[in-house]
Amino acid sequence: MGIELDPLGTLTITIERHTKLPSTPAGGRLIGEAADCRWEGDRVRASQLGRSASDWVRVHADDSVSVDARILLRTDDGAVIAMTYRGKADRPPADGGVIFTAPTFETDDERYGWLNRVQAVGLGRRTGSTLVYELYALTAGP
């Protein structure tokens, strides 16, 4: 049995503000607050709900990066979806680091209940104040 990737779409995040904590005991922190998020896919089209999206980045002593993000989205047809993801990058995204993430989803809307069972993966890149992730659902292949 193998793993296949089923495209879920593109998540585009525009960061409004960064707050830096350069030297906590656990490493440097960079908290990015999102001004806007948009998920465009064949099965899901959604935008950020309120001011609910932020990305907590930790920069380790070796310049590797850990990501912890939460986003609340409302689909174009009114469903609410909570997305969380953790991930890693070999260097800070602002310095060209590619971000690998593992998103999961929660919703109480029956139309999108299938998302509650999805383990996704994402590949992200940053350009200026914009993060763009390509999202995929992991499925079992032959």
Side-chain angles (χ1 to χ4, degrees):
M1 180 176 354
I3 295 175
E4 294 186 3
L5 301 175
D6 182 21
L8 290 173
T10 302
L11 179 68
T12 304
I13 303 169
T14 303
I15 302 296
E16 178 177 45
R17 176 179 41 221
H18 286 105
T19 302
K20 293 181 182 180
L21 299 169
S23 56
T24 73
R29 278 281 193 186
L30 178 64
I31 297 95
E33 297 174 60
D36 182 57
C37 299
R38 181 74 188 158
W39 181 1
E40 293 284 341
D42 290 341
R43 297 177 71 186
V44 180
R45 300 173 69 80
S47 295
Q48 178 177 323
L49 180 58
R51 310 288 291 162
S52 62
S54 63
D55 193 358
W56 290 60
V57 174
R58 176 164 298 160
V59 180
H60 304 281
D62 65 355
D63 277 340
S64 67
V65 173
S66 296
V67 175
D68 181 3
R70 286 164 177 53
I71 303 168
L72 191 60
L73 300 156
R74 184 184 308 272
T75 63
D76 290 357
D77 57 1
V80 175
I81 299 169
M83 173 191 286
T84 62
Y85 60 86
R86 291 182 180 255
K88 294 294 241 176
D90 62 349
R91 64 182 185 266
D95 296 338
V98 175
I99 310 158
F100 297 95
T101 63
T104 57
F105 311 95
E106 293 179 68
T107 185
D108 62 355
D109 191 296
E110 290 178 10
R111 298 169 295 172
Y112 296 93
W114 59 274
L115 282 170
N116 293 325
R117 296 179 294 281
V118 166
Q119 175 61 67
V121 293
L123 173 64
R125 289 186 165 81
R126 178 177 163 178
T127 303
S129 63
T130 303
L131 289 166
V132 178
Y133 289 95
E134 293 302 323
L135 303 177
Y136 301 88
L138 295 176
T139 59

